[in-house]
Amino acid sequence: MTTWWDTATGRRAEISRVFTEADLAGYTELTGGAPETGTVPEPLIAGLFSTLLGTDLPGNGTMYLKQDLRFASPARPGEQIRATVTISAVRPEKALVNLRTVATAGGRVLCEGEALVMARQFPLK
């Protein structure tokens, strides 16, 4: 019998989002700190990965254990940001999933990194 774990490596999920000036104003109000002028704050981009991990891959019940992001280029308000997570390895005996994370916009890489999560126990979609 094939399980989710047997076919997980290589699976990917993605999400696209455009952050507006209104989103940045909300971020400033919530955090008390204004982002650098003309840029989308890095935590908003990181949140796209959190959304994917908790809703799509591995999905509901996922717990973050570790995340490493290396930002290479700033995102600008109004441009479409695409975040992608791809499963690079699984350890079913511990319910651990390693993922590669990448965010792009306008043909350039905004950030790359890795995430380690604990997936909820069976059944997984």
Side-chain angles (χ1 to χ4, degrees):
M1 174 177 166
T2 302
T3 70
W4 182 90
W5 297 98
D6 297 323
T7 61
T9 302
R11 286 187 188 192
R12 63 186 269 158
E14 61 182 47
I15 188 172
S16 292
R17 169 77 194 263
V18 174
F19 290 101
T20 65
E21 291 294 343
D23 294 323
L24 302 188
Y27 175 86
T28 299
E29 184 178 330
L30 181 64
T31 65
E36 186 177 322
T37 303
T39 65
V40 174
E42 292 174 356
L44 292 179
I45 297 168
L48 296 174
F49 298 125
S50 297
T51 297
L52 285 169
L53 295 172
T55 60
D56 292 325
L57 193 63
N60 187 25
T62 297
M63 293 189 312
Y64 258 111
L65 300 176
K66 181 179 168 183
Q67 182 175 23
D68 176 43
L69 294 175
R70 295 169 302 280
F71 285 85
S73 178
R76 294 179 291 278
E79 69 180 344
Q80 184 171 331
I81 299 169
R82 172 168 287 159
T84 305
V85 296
T86 306
I87 295 178
S88 55
V90 296
R91 288 174 271 171
E93 69 283 357
K94 295 184 178 184
L96 296 178
V97 180
N98 293 80
L99 302 105
R100 181 170 187 268
T101 57
V102 179
T104 60
R108 67 189 194 288
V109 173
L110 303 176
C111 70
E112 294 182 277
E114 297 84 33
L116 173 64
V117 300
M118 181 178 286
R120 70 179 166 96
Q121 294 299 313
F122 302 103
L124 286 173
K125 61 178 176 177

